[in-house]
Amino acid sequence: MITVEHVPQAETDYLAQLEKAARRFGDRGPQREETLQTLQSRGVLYADDPGRVTKRLARLNADWSLAKAIEQAPTRPATTTGSTLTLSPDAFGADLLGLERLMGRNDLTGVAFLEGGYLAARSIGRVRVRTPEGGHYGTGFLVSPSLLLTNNHVLRGLEEAGHAVVEFNFQAGVDGRPLIPVAFRIDPHGFFATDRELDFTVVAVAERNEEGARLADFGWLPLDGAQGKAIVGEFVNIIQHPNGEPKQLALRENQIVDLLDRFVHYVTDTAPGSSGSPVFNDQWEVVALHHSAVPETGADGRPLATDGTPWRPGMGEHRLAWKANEGVRVSRVLQALSRLTLTGNAARLRDELFQPPDRPRPEGIPLTAAEPGPDGYVPDGSAPLASGTTVGITVPLRITVGVDVRAPEQPGPGRSAGPRVSAVAADGVAPARAGRAAASSAVTDAVAQDLDAALLNLRLGEARAYYVPDDDRAARDAYYAHVDADSYGEPLRQALTALLEETHGPRPSYKPARMLYPWVDLHPDRLLRSVYSGKTFTAEELIRADAAAEASRLRGIQEFLLRESAASADELAAELDALEAALPFNCEHVVPQSWFAKREPMRGDLHHLFACEPGCNSFRGNYPYTDFPGFEEAVRDDCGMRERSGFEPEHSKGAVARATLYFLLRYPGLVGDRPGEFPEERLPILLEWHENEPVTEYELHRNAAIAGIQGNRNPLIDHPEWARSIDFSGVWP
């Protein structure tokens, strides 16, 4: 929990979290009541999605046949004789105990449960914040050798984190006497990532404290994004520092009653959990990050205290009248972290979080690396660029290249030629005197980090299903649930534009090797195909080719800065453009970057990015699509045909038409305001291509994969029949 002495913003943030949790809990009342009735009448095996239950059983080394046998005779273990499952004391073991425990048929468990809980508890500490304005407490836990996970409302920003420490061993020993706490300084300048909506913060912790104690001695709790860690009806455990008090344990008293897309609700007869605490299953795997009680509320929707008066954070969470707990699903925390665009040491620290530790674990406590989640995301290393953000590359030269993205997302006719770029030399070190070898080494390290992350994503995707129609249909129906399918013309266009923008939550920056090649753009045979020529490539081929191009670009910039130390921003921007043109990625924007001045989020929007070899990319240039008579007799270099009036691709006309139509819907008024951009009179060409080449499994996979990464979908793939119902005239300036 968070106890606030005098931090007005913290009070505001935490109250907002409570109110959102209360609304989410209230909105799910009917579904939760049905779930509770199922739990009471049929049991935990029937209260959740069958696919998720199957994965949970598999994680416990069990299956439906064994579970059914236990259900019929709950206190006796089972074996299989021939094709018949019978009960026999000889089969009694830890796996069966775990399954019986899951089903609520047996409270016994192996003694490894105690050892696992002891090890897990060591990695959990009290977060103490002291600022000139006041202070507060929370709970946090180590999730890698260097990183701590807690709530955003515990550590909201760099400045606050800079005034914080994490204290381990703030607890009683076996003799009941207090242990001596071991405090470590929190180091936000080493790593800091936060998400207000998901209410999490990941921050670096000093390797040693002032007394020389080692952070490594407290271990860490690996995070796993795979399904199967917990299901509805299961009991979970919380280790916490409630009210900033010594470490305590809520053991198997919190029952999961609902699993939302991003959150999990669990109820208990004991006190609510503490902000920033890990929520565990019986195998001591982290299921969720506890972040809020679900409070009782008054008529005005405000949380109530136990005496019926309005509750304030200063009262402490123990004074809150509450009815449930809410945690953030760990898979969603991993999803957000995987999308961060990082380089150098920050990238290394983040990527460590996705790797399983090599330390031993007690028997019966599984340990796996992060895997793709149920919504299809693959850790991709991209993240949206917030307004005012500067993306920097810092090398031992002490030269930082920054790209300012504060320009409006959809500039009007007076658009600038490109992003503002600046270069500075820090600490008075003249660029010409800095070591070229050190700079080259830094470039190599940065590119290697990105390459390793992309290859990791490729490996993680190898074992997962390419496309699951039933899951995607359900996701599609939910996505368009509030769109009137009978609407027509401009109202339908406006509704879709609003939906696409609203749900475009994560906005990945342009980095195709991290996202596009390893998963999004794969065809059913797990190969990449050039969107215009149809040539095939392995994902690793293009990943490594782009890494080489990126390394050459960075070295080119360094050489330019060494050579032209007094270069203006315009000169540096021109050099960046020239290097990108000379060393292109194997990626095509079906809506050319020059039409939107290479701005985000358009540049990184995956819906209009496709694998494409540089030759075809260059041949197309920024010509708008068109349709030439007799095209089949005029193929040029397998890419298509180009004249001054436009470009017609040899392959994938339906796919590029649907991607372009998506772009027009998502970013109305952005293209077509200058000569050479897509004119309105060519809309019928796109509609004809769309109708002549129906949606394929490849596009369905792309759409589902992109929705898992950036949140929004392509309506022309989900509902091809809407193409003639939408009035696209409103998308042109």
Side-chain angles (χ1 to χ4, degrees):
M1 74 137 279
I2 179 169
T3 303
V4 180
E5 297 174 5
H6 180 64
V7 186
Q9 185 59 46
E11 292 192 6
T12 301
D13 288 350
Y14 191 54
L15 279 170
Q17 291 290 353
L18 287 172
E19 290 164 3
K20 289 177 182 178
R23 285 195 296 271
R24 283 189 288 264
F25 192 81
D27 291 344
R28 296 282 295 178
Q31 295 92 330
R32 190 170 56 255
E33 182 60 33
E34 181 179 348
T35 296
L36 292 173
Q37 290 177 3
T38 302
L39 282 171
Q40 185 174 7
S41 62
R42 303 192 67 189
V44 68
L45 295 178
Y46 303 93
D48 207 335
D49 174 78
R52 189 150 48 209
V53 174
T54 300
K55 291 177 181 177
R56 183 67 181 126
L57 292 175
R59 209 171 180 94
L60 293 171
N61 299 316
D63 57 23
W64 274 104
S65 59
L66 182 58
K68 289 292 291 183
I70 293 176
E71 189 176 50
Q72 294 165 7
T75 60
R76 297 164 56 201
T79 59
T80 302
T81 303
S83 60
T84 304
L85 196 67
T86 58
L87 302 176
S88 166
D90 296 337
F92 193 80
D95 291 341
L96 185 56
L97 281 175
L99 182 53
E100 287 189 309
R101 191 170 169 87
L102 168 70
M103 298 168 64
R105 304 304 179 95
N106 197 328
D107 287 334
L108 293 174
T109 189
V111 294
F113 176 79
L114 297 177
E115 185 178 359
Y118 167 76
L119 291 176
R122 282 187 56 77
S123 305
I124 301 165
R126 181 177 73 163
V127 177
R128 176 165 54 88
V129 183
R130 286 289 180 267
T131 66
E133 295 76 25
H136 57 269
Y137 296 104
T139 302
F141 55 102
L142 294 171
V143 292
S144 82
S146 307
L147 299 179
L148 181 90
L149 175 61
T150 186
N151 290 137
N152 167 272
H153 72 262
V154 173
L155 295 177
R156 298 189 307 274
L158 288 166
E159 182 176 358
E160 189 170 68
H163 293 284
V165 297
V166 57
E167 300 169 313
F168 299 101
N169 284 350
F170 184 59
Q171 62 192 74
V174 292
D175 58 359
R177 297 179 180 179
L179 300 180
I180 299 175
V182 183
F184 292 83
R185 177 179 56 84
I186 287 178
D187 178 21
H189 297 291
F191 187 97
F192 187 87
T194 193
D195 188 311
R196 187 170 181 180
E197 286 302 310
L198 287 177
D199 194 21
F200 77 80
T201 290
V202 177
V203 65
V205 181
E207 182 179 354
R208 291 182 180 270
N209 68 5
E210 294 179 355
E211 290 75 35
R214 300 190 320 151
L215 185 69
D217 291 340
F218 293 91
W220 70 94
L221 302 172
L223 302 184
D224 187 345
Q227 279 192 334
K229 297 185 297 298
I231 56 176
V232 170
E234 190 167 357
F235 287 87
V236 290
N237 313 294
I238 304 177
I239 301 177
Q240 58 192 302
H241 285 278
N243 303 307
E245 298 168 3
K247 192 181 300 177
Q248 299 174 34
L249 168 65
L251 185 63
R252 281 183 62 82
E253 291 180 329
N254 290 272
Q255 186 177 32
I256 296 175
V257 294
D258 206 358
L259 281 169
L260 286 68
D261 177 61
R262 299 192 297 173
F263 301 94
V264 55
H265 289 148
Y266 34 99
V267 298
T268 177
D269 293 331
T270 62
S274 172
S275 296
S277 303
V279 180
F280 297 100
N281 61 17
D282 277 353
Q283 290 70 49
W284 298 105
E285 297 173 301
V286 182
V287 173
L289 168 68
H290 178 79
H291 86 121
S292 179
V294 178
E296 297 285 358
T297 56
D300 58 357
R302 304 284 284 179
L304 296 177
T306 51
D307 60 3
T309 62
W311 180 85
R312 300 183 307 279
M315 296 178 174
E317 196 167 346
H318 63 289
R319 293 278 308 280
L320 183 71
W322 65 281
K323 51 189 175 185
N325 280 317
E326 182 178 81
V328 183
R329 294 177 63 174
V330 71
S331 60
R332 296 308 182 260
V333 174
L334 284 170
Q335 182 178 3
L337 288 170
S338 71
R339 291 176 176 160
L340 293 175
T341 301
L342 301 172
T343 60
N345 191 57
R348 180 187 65 78
L349 291 178
R350 188 276 311 278
D351 291 345
E352 276 185 355
L353 191 148
F354 288 92
Q355 300 294 334
D358 55 8
R359 60 193 172 95
R361 298 285 290 175
E363 183 179 354
I365 300 177
L367 179 64
T368 60
E371 300 174 15
D375 58 356
Y377 94 90
V378 177
D380 49 54
S382 70
L385 298 178
S387 176
T389 298
T390 296
V391 180
I393 304 166
T394 306
V395 299
L397 283 164
R398 303 308 301 274
I399 297 174
T400 300
V401 178
V403 180
D404 192 338
V405 296
R406 288 175 293 179
E409 177 179 304
Q410 298 184 23
R415 294 179 288 191
S416 63
R420 179 179 62 81
V421 183
S422 60
V424 295
D427 298 338
V429 179
R433 297 173 58 188
R436 293 173 185 253
S440 178
S441 175
V443 167
T444 301
D445 290 345
V447 172
Q449 291 285 349
D450 280 347
L451 176 61
D452 289 345
L455 294 176
L456 171 63
N457 293 343
L458 178 61
R459 187 171 71 251
L460 292 174
E462 289 173 351
R464 61 179 311 245
Y466 178 74
Y467 177 67
V468 184
D470 290 344
D471 291 353
D472 190 41
R473 277 193 292 269
R476 177 199 63 191
D477 293 344
Y479 185 78
Y480 299 102
H482 300 294
V483 175
D484 183 1
D486 296 325
S487 61
Y488 191 88
E490 178 64 8
L492 178 57
R493 199 278 301 169
Q494 290 182 354
L496 292 175
T497 293
L499 178 63
L500 294 177
E501 181 176 6
E502 178 186 352
T503 56
H504 193 173
R507 300 183 178 187
S509 57
Y510 179 51
K511 207 175 248 315
R514 285 281 187 108
M515 300 169 287
L516 195 71
Y517 309 148
W519 182 244
V520 168
D521 208 37
L522 293 179
H523 285 255
D525 59 4
R526 305 295 177 122
L527 294 174
L528 297 170
R529 282 174 172 73
S530 169
V531 67
Y532 296 145
S533 72
K535 291 180 180 178
T536 59
F537 305 89
T538 67
E540 187 168 350
E541 278 184 89
L542 298 196
I543 288 170
R544 292 190 180 278
D546 276 17
E550 179 70 5
S552 296
R553 288 185 190 183
L554 292 178
R555 290 193 185 96
I557 283 294
Q558 290 176 331
E559 291 297 323
F560 176 81
L561 293 173
L562 286 168
R563 187 175 65 250
E564 305 288 346
S565 59
S568 67
D570 288 341
E571 290 171 331
L572 182 54
E575 182 68 14
L576 286 168
D577 287 341
L579 285 167
E580 185 172 323
L583 300 161
F585 289 153
N586 289 271
C587 183
E588 165 72 340
H589 292 78
V590 299
V591 177
Q593 298 186 67
S594 62
W595 294 4
F596 50 83
K598 298 183 178 179
R599 285 179 169 81
E600 300 287 5
M602 293 76 73
R603 193 181 193 215
D605 192 325
L606 290 164
H607 282 294
H608 81 125
L609 302 186
F610 292 82
C612 180
E613 72 274 36
C616 283
N617 195 329
S618 175
F619 178 66
R620 187 263 169 113
N622 62 357
Y623 288 99
Y625 292 126
T626 192
D627 209 331
F628 295 108
F631 169 72
E632 292 182 358
E633 290 76 38
V635 176
R636 190 236 190 232
D637 290 337
D638 296 327
C639 303
M641 181 178 180
R642 183 190 73 192
E643 291 183 357
R644 297 176 68 87
S645 59
F647 167 78
E648 181 178 357
E650 168 70 3
H651 290 272
S652 311
K653 292 182 185 176
V656 300
R658 284 180 280 274
T660 306
L661 292 170
Y662 159 84
F663 191 97
L664 295 174
L665 287 174
R666 171 63 182 89
Y667 307 104
L670 188 60
V671 301
D673 59 332
R674 295 185 300 181
E677 295 183 355
F678 197 80
E680 184 176 356
E681 59 265 23
R682 294 195 188 174
L683 175 65
I685 295 174
L686 296 182
L687 295 176
E688 184 177 350
W689 289 358
H690 163 68
E691 292 167 348
N692 289 343
E693 293 187 7
V695 174
T696 62
E697 183 185 22
Y698 156 68
E699 286 183 87
L700 293 171
H701 155 76
R702 270 182 57 95
N703 198 30
I706 294 169
I709 293 172
Q710 66 181 47
N712 61 2
R713 302 175 66 92
N714 186 337
L716 285 307
I717 293 175
D718 288 326
H719 289 282
E721 72 279 6
W722 285 355
R724 295 288 181 179
S725 300
I726 300 169
D727 181 3
F728 283 95
S729 63
V731 305
W732 274 273

